[in-house]
Short mmCIF file of all heavy atoms in Angstrom, two decimals:
data_model
loop_
_atom_site.label_atom_id
_atom_site.label_comp_id
_atom_site.label_asym_id
_atom_site.label_seq_id
_atom_site.Cartn_x
_atom_site.Cartn_y
_atom_site.Cartn_z
N MET H 125 87.95 77.71 74.86
CA MET H 125 89.40 77.39 74.67
C MET H 125 89.47 76.61 73.33
O MET H 125 88.55 76.02 72.88
CB MET H 125 89.89 76.41 75.73
CG MET H 125 89.06 75.11 75.94
SD MET H 125 89.91 73.93 77.07
CE MET H 125 90.97 73.00 75.96
N LYS H 126 90.60 76.84 72.64
CA LYS H 126 90.79 76.12 71.40
C LYS H 126 91.00 74.59 71.66
O LYS H 126 91.68 74.27 72.64
CB LYS H 126 92.01 76.70 70.65
CG LYS H 126 91.89 78.20 70.28
CD LYS H 126 90.87 78.24 69.13
CE LYS H 126 90.82 79.73 68.63
NZ LYS H 126 89.79 80.01 67.65
N GLU H 127 90.51 73.80 70.77
CA GLU H 127 90.69 72.37 71.00
C GLU H 127 92.27 72.03 70.95
O GLU H 127 92.67 71.01 71.52
CB GLU H 127 89.93 71.54 69.94
CG GLU H 127 89.95 70.09 70.28
CD GLU H 127 88.87 69.35 69.34
OE1 GLU H 127 88.27 69.96 68.47
OE2 GLU H 127 88.72 68.14 69.69
N SER H 128 92.99 72.85 70.15
CA SER H 128 94.41 72.54 70.08
C SER H 128 95.14 72.81 71.44
O SER H 128 96.22 72.18 71.70
CB SER H 128 95.07 73.53 69.03
OG SER H 128 94.80 74.91 69.42
N LEU H 129 94.38 73.41 72.38
CA LEU H 129 95.05 73.63 73.72
C LEU H 129 95.14 72.28 74.40
O LEU H 129 95.83 72.22 75.44
CB LEU H 129 94.19 74.58 74.52
CG LEU H 129 94.67 76.08 74.52
CD1 LEU H 129 93.76 76.80 75.51
CD2 LEU H 129 96.07 76.19 75.00
N MET H 130 94.34 71.35 74.00
CA MET H 130 94.41 70.05 74.62
C MET H 130 95.94 69.51 74.64
O MET H 130 96.26 68.66 75.51
CB MET H 130 93.57 69.05 73.93
CG MET H 130 92.07 69.26 74.26
SD MET H 130 91.65 69.23 75.99
CE MET H 130 92.14 67.55 76.43
N ASP H 131 96.74 69.90 73.68
CA ASP H 131 98.08 69.48 73.65
C ASP H 131 98.91 70.12 74.73
O ASP H 131 99.95 69.53 75.07
CB ASP H 131 98.78 69.85 72.28
CG ASP H 131 98.10 69.08 71.17
OD1 ASP H 131 97.54 68.04 71.35
OD2 ASP H 131 98.19 69.59 69.97
N VAL H 132 98.39 71.18 75.33
CA VAL H 132 99.23 71.95 76.25
C VAL H 132 98.71 71.72 77.68
O VAL H 132 99.49 71.56 78.61
CB VAL H 132 99.14 73.47 75.96
CG1 VAL H 132 99.91 74.30 76.93
CG2 VAL H 132 99.45 73.72 74.46
N VAL H 133 97.39 71.66 77.94
CA VAL H 133 96.85 71.54 79.20
C VAL H 133 97.09 70.22 79.85
O VAL H 133 97.16 69.19 79.16
CB VAL H 133 95.42 71.90 79.28
CG1 VAL H 133 95.10 73.34 78.89
CG2 VAL H 133 94.55 70.95 78.48
N CYS H 134 97.32 70.23 81.17
CA CYS H 134 97.48 68.92 81.84
C CYS H 134 96.92 69.11 83.31
O CYS H 134 96.66 70.21 83.71
CB CYS H 134 98.89 68.44 81.80
SG CYS H 134 99.98 69.55 82.76
N CYS H 135 96.69 68.01 83.96
CA CYS H 135 96.26 68.00 85.32
C CYS H 135 97.20 68.77 86.28
O CYS H 135 98.37 68.52 86.18
CB CYS H 135 96.06 66.59 85.87
SG CYS H 135 95.44 66.46 87.53
N PRO H 136 96.71 69.76 87.03
CA PRO H 136 97.57 70.54 87.89
C PRO H 136 98.07 69.75 89.06
O PRO H 136 99.02 70.11 89.70
CB PRO H 136 96.73 71.67 88.41
CG PRO H 136 95.28 71.11 88.19
CD PRO H 136 95.33 70.16 87.08
N LEU H 137 97.48 68.64 89.31
CA LEU H 137 97.83 67.78 90.53
C LEU H 137 98.95 66.87 90.10
O LEU H 137 99.93 66.67 90.91
CB LEU H 137 96.69 66.88 90.98
CG LEU H 137 95.50 67.78 91.51
CD1 LEU H 137 94.34 66.80 91.94
CD2 LEU H 137 95.84 68.70 92.62
N ASP H 138 98.97 66.23 88.95
CA ASP H 138 100.02 65.23 88.50
C ASP H 138 100.53 65.41 87.16
O ASP H 138 101.27 64.50 86.68
CB ASP H 138 99.42 63.85 88.76
CG ASP H 138 98.00 63.72 88.18
OD1 ASP H 138 97.74 64.39 87.12
OD2 ASP H 138 97.12 63.00 88.77
N LYS H 139 100.16 66.44 86.51
CA LYS H 139 100.65 66.77 85.16
C LYS H 139 100.30 65.68 84.11
O LYS H 139 100.93 65.57 83.11
CB LYS H 139 102.15 66.94 85.15
CG LYS H 139 102.65 67.92 86.25
CD LYS H 139 102.05 69.26 86.12
CE LYS H 139 102.53 70.19 87.29
NZ LYS H 139 101.65 71.40 87.43
N ALA H 140 99.25 64.90 84.46
CA ALA H 140 98.81 63.91 83.47
C ALA H 140 98.00 64.39 82.45
O ALA H 140 97.49 65.58 82.51
CB ALA H 140 98.13 62.76 84.19
N ASP H 141 97.78 63.65 81.34
CA ASP H 141 96.93 64.14 80.26
C ASP H 141 95.40 64.22 80.64
O ASP H 141 95.05 63.59 81.58
CB ASP H 141 97.08 63.23 79.02
CG ASP H 141 98.34 63.41 78.32
OD1 ASP H 141 99.01 64.43 78.44
OD2 ASP H 141 98.70 62.39 77.53
N LEU H 142 94.69 65.11 79.95
CA LEU H 142 93.35 65.22 80.29
C LEU H 142 92.41 64.68 79.10
O LEU H 142 92.76 64.92 77.95
CB LEU H 142 93.00 66.77 80.51
CG LEU H 142 93.69 67.30 81.80
CD1 LEU H 142 93.45 68.82 81.75
CD2 LEU H 142 93.20 66.68 83.05
N ASP H 143 91.37 64.08 79.49
CA ASP H 143 90.32 63.64 78.39
C ASP H 143 89.30 64.76 78.31
O ASP H 143 88.85 65.43 79.34
CB ASP H 143 89.59 62.45 78.89
CG ASP H 143 90.36 61.17 78.40
OD1 ASP H 143 91.23 61.26 77.51
OD2 ASP H 143 90.09 60.06 79.01
N LEU H 144 88.89 65.12 77.03
CA LEU H 144 88.04 66.14 76.77
C LEU H 144 86.61 65.59 76.45
O LEU H 144 86.47 64.68 75.67
CB LEU H 144 88.52 67.03 75.53
CG LEU H 144 87.47 68.12 75.05
CD1 LEU H 144 87.32 69.13 76.23
CD2 LEU H 144 88.07 68.71 73.85
N ASP H 145 85.68 66.12 77.23
CA ASP H 145 84.25 65.81 77.03
C ASP H 145 83.59 67.19 76.62
O ASP H 145 83.34 67.97 77.48
CB ASP H 145 83.68 65.26 78.33
CG ASP H 145 82.63 64.12 78.10
OD1 ASP H 145 82.33 63.97 76.91
OD2 ASP H 145 82.17 63.62 79.07
N VAL H 146 83.11 67.15 75.42
CA VAL H 146 82.52 68.42 74.86
C VAL H 146 81.12 68.45 74.97
O VAL H 146 80.43 67.56 74.56
CB VAL H 146 82.98 68.59 73.43
CG1 VAL H 146 82.36 69.96 72.89
CG2 VAL H 146 84.45 68.71 73.14
N ASP H 147 80.55 69.58 75.64
CA ASP H 147 79.12 69.75 75.77
C ASP H 147 78.70 70.74 74.65
O ASP H 147 77.54 70.61 74.16
CB ASP H 147 78.78 70.30 77.17
CG ASP H 147 78.87 69.32 78.22
OD1 ASP H 147 78.75 68.09 77.91
OD2 ASP H 147 79.13 69.72 79.44
N GLU H 148 79.53 71.73 74.39
CA GLU H 148 79.13 72.80 73.41
C GLU H 148 80.43 73.27 72.74
O GLU H 148 81.44 73.58 73.38
CB GLU H 148 78.48 73.99 74.14
CG GLU H 148 77.79 74.91 73.29
CD GLU H 148 77.15 76.04 74.09
OE1 GLU H 148 77.01 75.89 75.30
OE2 GLU H 148 76.78 77.03 73.41
N ARG H 149 80.37 73.29 71.41
CA ARG H 149 81.54 73.79 70.67
C ARG H 149 81.17 74.68 69.52
O ARG H 149 79.98 74.73 68.97
CB ARG H 149 82.38 72.63 70.17
CG ARG H 149 81.70 71.93 68.95
CD ARG H 149 82.80 71.19 68.18
NE ARG H 149 83.32 69.99 68.90
CZ ARG H 149 84.64 69.75 68.82
NH1 ARG H 149 85.49 70.44 68.23
NH2 ARG H 149 85.06 68.62 69.40
N ASP H 150 82.11 75.55 69.03
CA ASP H 150 81.95 76.38 67.88
C ASP H 150 83.19 76.18 67.02
O ASP H 150 84.20 76.73 67.44
CB ASP H 150 81.80 77.86 68.36
CG ASP H 150 81.58 78.85 67.24
OD1 ASP H 150 81.38 78.35 66.10
OD2 ASP H 150 81.45 80.01 67.41
N ASP H 151 83.04 75.36 66.04
CA ASP H 151 84.23 74.97 65.20
C ASP H 151 85.29 74.31 66.18
O ASP H 151 84.92 73.40 66.82
CB ASP H 151 84.81 76.15 64.48
CG ASP H 151 83.91 76.46 63.29
OD1 ASP H 151 83.27 75.61 62.78
OD2 ASP H 151 83.98 77.69 62.88
N ASP H 152 86.46 74.87 66.23
CA ASP H 152 87.49 74.19 67.08
C ASP H 152 87.58 74.95 68.50
O ASP H 152 88.49 74.71 69.26
CB ASP H 152 88.89 74.28 66.46
CG ASP H 152 89.42 75.66 66.28
OD1 ASP H 152 88.57 76.61 66.36
OD2 ASP H 152 90.70 75.96 66.10
N GLU H 153 86.55 75.80 68.76
CA GLU H 153 86.51 76.43 70.07
C GLU H 153 85.59 75.67 70.98
O GLU H 153 84.44 75.42 70.68
CB GLU H 153 85.99 77.88 69.86
CG GLU H 153 85.99 78.74 71.07
CD GLU H 153 87.32 79.38 71.38
OE1 GLU H 153 87.97 79.68 70.43
OE2 GLU H 153 87.73 79.70 72.55
N ILE H 154 86.11 75.22 72.11
CA ILE H 154 85.34 74.49 73.09
C ILE H 154 84.62 75.48 74.01
O ILE H 154 85.40 76.18 74.74
CB ILE H 154 86.16 73.48 73.90
CG1 ILE H 154 87.02 72.63 72.99
CG2 ILE H 154 85.20 72.67 74.78
CD1 ILE H 154 86.27 71.80 71.97
N LEU H 155 83.36 75.53 74.05
CA LEU H 155 82.69 76.49 74.83
C LEU H 155 82.32 76.10 76.20
O LEU H 155 82.31 76.75 77.21
CB LEU H 155 81.40 77.10 74.18
CG LEU H 155 81.66 77.70 72.79
CD1 LEU H 155 80.31 78.10 72.07
CD2 LEU H 155 82.53 78.97 72.95
N ALA H 156 81.92 74.76 76.25
CA ALA H 156 81.56 74.17 77.44
C ALA H 156 81.80 72.67 77.40
O ALA H 156 81.70 72.03 76.40
CB ALA H 156 80.07 74.31 77.85
N GLY H 157 82.26 72.18 78.45
CA GLY H 157 82.54 70.70 78.60
C GLY H 157 83.28 70.33 79.86
O GLY H 157 83.30 71.13 80.87
N THR H 158 83.94 69.18 79.90
CA THR H 158 84.61 68.70 81.03
C THR H 158 85.91 68.14 80.69
O THR H 158 86.05 67.36 79.70
CB THR H 158 83.74 67.71 81.76
OG1 THR H 158 82.50 68.16 82.01
CG2 THR H 158 84.43 67.30 83.17
N LEU H 159 86.98 68.44 81.42
CA LEU H 159 88.26 67.85 81.30
C LEU H 159 88.42 66.82 82.42
O LEU H 159 88.22 67.11 83.63
CB LEU H 159 89.31 68.79 81.38
CG LEU H 159 89.39 69.92 80.22
CD1 LEU H 159 90.34 71.05 80.65
CD2 LEU H 159 89.82 69.24 78.91
N THR H 160 88.78 65.60 82.04
CA THR H 160 88.98 64.61 83.09
C THR H 160 90.40 64.04 83.03
O THR H 160 90.91 63.67 81.96
CB THR H 160 87.98 63.46 82.85
OG1 THR H 160 86.66 63.86 82.83
CG2 THR H 160 88.12 62.33 83.97
N CYS H 161 91.07 64.02 84.23
CA CYS H 161 92.40 63.55 84.32
C CYS H 161 92.43 61.99 84.01
O CYS H 161 91.68 61.29 84.66
CB CYS H 161 92.96 63.84 85.75
SG CYS H 161 94.67 63.26 85.84
N THR H 162 93.36 61.63 83.21
CA THR H 162 93.52 60.17 82.89
C THR H 162 94.28 59.43 84.01
O THR H 162 94.22 58.21 84.03
CB THR H 162 94.26 60.04 81.60
OG1 THR H 162 95.53 60.70 81.75
CG2 THR H 162 93.50 60.59 80.35
N GLU H 163 94.78 60.23 84.92
CA GLU H 163 95.62 59.61 85.93
C GLU H 163 94.81 59.52 87.27
O GLU H 163 94.55 58.40 87.84
CB GLU H 163 96.91 60.36 86.22
CG GLU H 163 97.87 59.72 87.19
CD GLU H 163 98.41 58.47 86.77
OE1 GLU H 163 98.55 58.28 85.53
OE2 GLU H 163 98.67 57.61 87.66
N CYS H 164 94.40 60.70 87.84
CA CYS H 164 93.66 60.67 89.17
C CYS H 164 92.14 60.79 89.08
O CYS H 164 91.42 60.61 90.03
CB CYS H 164 94.18 61.83 89.96
SG CYS H 164 93.79 63.54 89.37
N GLY H 165 91.66 61.05 87.77
CA GLY H 165 90.19 61.05 87.61
C GLY H 165 89.56 62.34 87.99
O GLY H 165 88.31 62.36 87.92
N GLU H 166 90.28 63.28 88.42
CA GLU H 166 89.76 64.59 88.79
C GLU H 166 89.25 65.30 87.57
O GLU H 166 89.59 65.07 86.46
CB GLU H 166 90.92 65.51 89.37
CG GLU H 166 90.27 66.75 90.11
CD GLU H 166 89.39 66.36 91.23
OE1 GLU H 166 89.86 65.71 92.20
OE2 GLU H 166 88.20 66.73 91.19
N THR H 167 88.06 65.99 87.73
CA THR H 167 87.40 66.70 86.63
C THR H 167 87.46 68.16 86.70
O THR H 167 87.52 68.65 87.81
CB THR H 167 85.86 66.32 86.49
OG1 THR H 167 85.23 66.56 87.70
CG2 THR H 167 85.76 64.79 86.25
N TYR H 168 87.72 68.86 85.59
CA TYR H 168 87.85 70.29 85.51
C TYR H 168 86.78 70.82 84.56
O TYR H 168 86.82 70.35 83.39
CB TYR H 168 89.24 70.67 85.18
CG TYR H 168 90.28 70.05 86.09
CD1 TYR H 168 90.85 68.82 85.82
CD2 TYR H 168 90.67 70.60 87.21
CE1 TYR H 168 91.82 68.21 86.67
CE2 TYR H 168 91.53 70.13 88.11
CZ TYR H 168 92.11 68.90 87.85
OH TYR H 168 93.01 68.29 88.65
N PRO H 169 85.91 71.64 84.92
CA PRO H 169 84.90 72.26 84.08
C PRO H 169 85.42 73.27 83.07
O PRO H 169 86.33 73.99 83.44
CB PRO H 169 83.93 72.80 84.99
CG PRO H 169 84.62 73.26 86.16
CD PRO H 169 85.85 72.29 86.32
N ILE H 170 84.89 73.23 81.83
CA ILE H 170 85.14 74.40 80.93
C ILE H 170 83.78 75.13 80.88
O ILE H 170 82.69 74.65 80.52
CB ILE H 170 85.40 73.81 79.52
CG1 ILE H 170 86.64 72.90 79.57
CG2 ILE H 170 85.69 75.00 78.62
CD1 ILE H 170 86.85 72.12 78.25
N GLU H 171 83.85 76.38 81.24
CA GLU H 171 82.75 77.22 81.20
C GLU H 171 82.94 78.49 80.51
O GLU H 171 84.04 79.22 80.69
CB GLU H 171 82.30 77.53 82.71
CG GLU H 171 81.83 76.40 83.41
CD GLU H 171 81.66 76.65 84.96
OE1 GLU H 171 82.27 77.63 85.37
OE2 GLU H 171 81.02 75.85 85.62
N ASP H 172 82.00 78.89 79.51
CA ASP H 172 82.15 80.10 78.77
C ASP H 172 83.55 80.09 78.05
O ASP H 172 84.16 81.09 77.84
CB ASP H 172 82.10 81.35 79.64
CG ASP H 172 80.75 81.46 80.29
OD1 ASP H 172 79.74 81.13 79.65
OD2 ASP H 172 80.68 82.13 81.37
N GLY H 173 83.94 78.91 77.68
CA GLY H 173 85.20 78.78 76.84
C GLY H 173 86.49 78.88 77.61
O GLY H 173 87.58 78.85 77.11
N ILE H 174 86.35 78.92 78.97
CA ILE H 174 87.51 79.00 79.86
C ILE H 174 87.64 77.68 80.68
O ILE H 174 86.76 77.47 81.44
CB ILE H 174 87.45 80.17 80.72
CG1 ILE H 174 87.28 81.50 79.89
CG2 ILE H 174 88.63 80.28 81.66
CD1 ILE H 174 87.01 82.75 80.62
N PRO H 175 88.70 77.00 80.52
CA PRO H 175 88.96 75.84 81.39
C PRO H 175 89.39 76.19 82.79
O PRO H 175 90.20 77.02 82.98
CB PRO H 175 90.12 75.01 80.68
CG PRO H 175 90.91 76.16 79.92
CD PRO H 175 89.83 77.21 79.54
N ASN H 176 88.67 75.61 83.77
CA ASN H 176 89.02 75.89 85.21
C ASN H 176 89.92 74.84 85.63
O ASN H 176 89.48 73.71 86.04
CB ASN H 176 87.67 75.87 86.03
CG ASN H 176 87.97 76.36 87.46
OD1 ASN H 176 89.12 76.26 87.86
ND2 ASN H 176 86.99 76.68 88.17
N LEU H 177 91.24 75.08 85.60
CA LEU H 177 92.25 74.04 85.99
C LEU H 177 92.70 74.22 87.37
O LEU H 177 93.85 73.68 87.68
CB LEU H 177 93.31 74.09 84.97
CG LEU H 177 93.01 73.55 83.56
CD1 LEU H 177 94.16 73.67 82.64
CD2 LEU H 177 92.65 72.04 83.61
N LEU H 178 92.03 74.90 88.14
CA LEU H 178 92.36 75.00 89.60
C LEU H 178 92.25 73.68 90.34
O LEU H 178 91.31 73.02 90.01
CB LEU H 178 91.59 76.06 90.32
CG LEU H 178 91.98 77.49 90.09
CD1 LEU H 178 90.93 78.43 90.80
CD2 LEU H 178 93.45 77.84 90.46
N PRO H 179 93.15 73.28 91.20
CA PRO H 179 92.90 72.03 91.89
C PRO H 179 91.67 72.20 92.77
O PRO H 179 91.26 73.35 93.11
CB PRO H 179 94.18 71.94 92.78
CG PRO H 179 95.25 72.75 92.14
CD PRO H 179 94.48 73.85 91.40
N PRO H 180 90.86 71.10 93.03
CA PRO H 180 89.65 71.16 93.78
C PRO H 180 89.81 72.03 95.05
O PRO H 180 88.88 72.74 95.36
CB PRO H 180 89.31 69.76 94.02
CG PRO H 180 90.00 68.99 92.91
CD PRO H 180 91.25 69.76 92.61
N ASP H 181 90.85 71.91 95.83
CA ASP H 181 90.95 72.61 97.01
C ASP H 181 90.96 74.15 96.81
O ASP H 181 90.15 74.74 97.47
CB ASP H 181 92.38 72.28 97.65
CG ASP H 181 92.46 70.79 98.11
OD1 ASP H 181 91.37 70.16 98.03
OD2 ASP H 181 93.49 70.44 98.49
N MET H 182 91.65 74.63 95.87
CA MET H 182 91.70 76.01 95.55
C MET H 182 90.37 76.51 95.02
O MET H 182 90.07 77.68 95.23
CB MET H 182 92.86 76.37 94.61
CG MET H 182 94.20 76.10 95.20
SD MET H 182 95.54 76.60 94.04
CE MET H 182 95.24 78.31 93.83
N ARG H 183 89.72 75.65 94.27
CA ARG H 183 88.43 76.01 93.69
C ARG H 183 87.47 76.34 94.80
O ARG H 183 86.78 77.29 94.77
CB ARG H 183 87.87 74.92 92.86
CG ARG H 183 87.31 75.29 91.51
CD ARG H 183 86.89 74.04 90.76
NE ARG H 183 87.82 73.22 90.21
CZ ARG H 183 87.62 72.02 89.91
NH1 ARG H 183 86.45 71.43 90.01
NH2 ARG H 183 88.57 71.20 89.37
N ASP H 184 87.46 75.54 95.88
CA ASP H 184 86.47 75.70 96.99
C ASP H 184 86.79 76.96 97.75
O ASP H 184 85.99 77.86 98.17
CB ASP H 184 86.62 74.51 97.95
CG ASP H 184 85.97 73.24 97.43
OD1 ASP H 184 85.28 73.46 96.38
OD2 ASP H 184 86.26 72.22 97.89
N GLU H 185 88.11 77.33 97.89
CA GLU H 185 88.54 78.55 98.56
C GLU H 185 88.06 79.72 97.78
O GLU H 185 87.70 80.74 98.37
CB GLU H 185 90.05 78.52 98.76
CG GLU H 185 90.53 77.75 100.02
CD GLU H 185 92.09 77.75 100.09
OE1 GLU H 185 92.68 78.82 99.77
OE2 GLU H 185 92.64 76.72 100.55
N ALA H 186 88.19 79.70 96.49
CA ALA H 186 87.96 80.84 95.62
C ALA H 186 86.36 81.09 95.74
O ALA H 186 85.89 82.26 95.65
CB ALA H 186 88.25 80.54 94.18
N ALA H 187 85.56 80.00 95.86
CA ALA H 187 84.13 80.24 95.90
C ALA H 187 83.68 80.72 97.25
O ALA H 187 82.66 81.34 97.37
CB ALA H 187 83.48 78.83 95.63
N ALA H 188 84.45 80.36 98.32
CA ALA H 188 84.12 80.82 99.63
C ALA H 188 84.32 82.32 99.94
O ALA H 188 84.91 83.01 99.21
CB ALA H 188 84.78 80.05 100.69
ZN1 LIG R 1243 95.38 64.14 87.81
#
């Protein structure tokens, strides 16, 4: 995901801002990292450049 997307993305649970923790980047492209909600503290992984902003409940269902 582009780092500029940080202006757009928000927590799906409470629409709060997210903190970005970058593990791997290519210029302004975030390839891997973690988004952490500043409000509820929920974390959302970024894998292969794609942020997984599904709420934890739905994430578990998708995996099952
Ligand atoms: Zn939140």
Side-chain angles (χ1 to χ4, degrees):
M125 59 173 271
K126 296 289 184 189
E127 190 165 8
S128 57
L129 264 183
M130 284 305 296
D131 292 339
V132 182
V133 296
C134 63
C135 178
L137 300 178
D138 47 34
K139 310 303 179 196
D141 288 339
L142 298 169
D143 272 339
L144 175 61
D145 214 353
V146 179
D147 288 335
E148 193 180 347
R149 73 157 70 221
D150 184 3
D151 286 331
D152 68 340
E153 185 87 27
I154 311 299
L155 299 176
T158 307
L159 297 166
T160 305
C161 177
T162 55
E163 186 65 32
C164 67
E166 193 61 61
T167 58
Y168 304 93
I170 303 169
E171 294 168 341
D172 297 328
I174 300 169
N176 184 345
L177 289 174
L178 284 177
D181 293 353
M182 295 182 62
R183 229 182 284 160
D184 289 345
E185 277 179 34

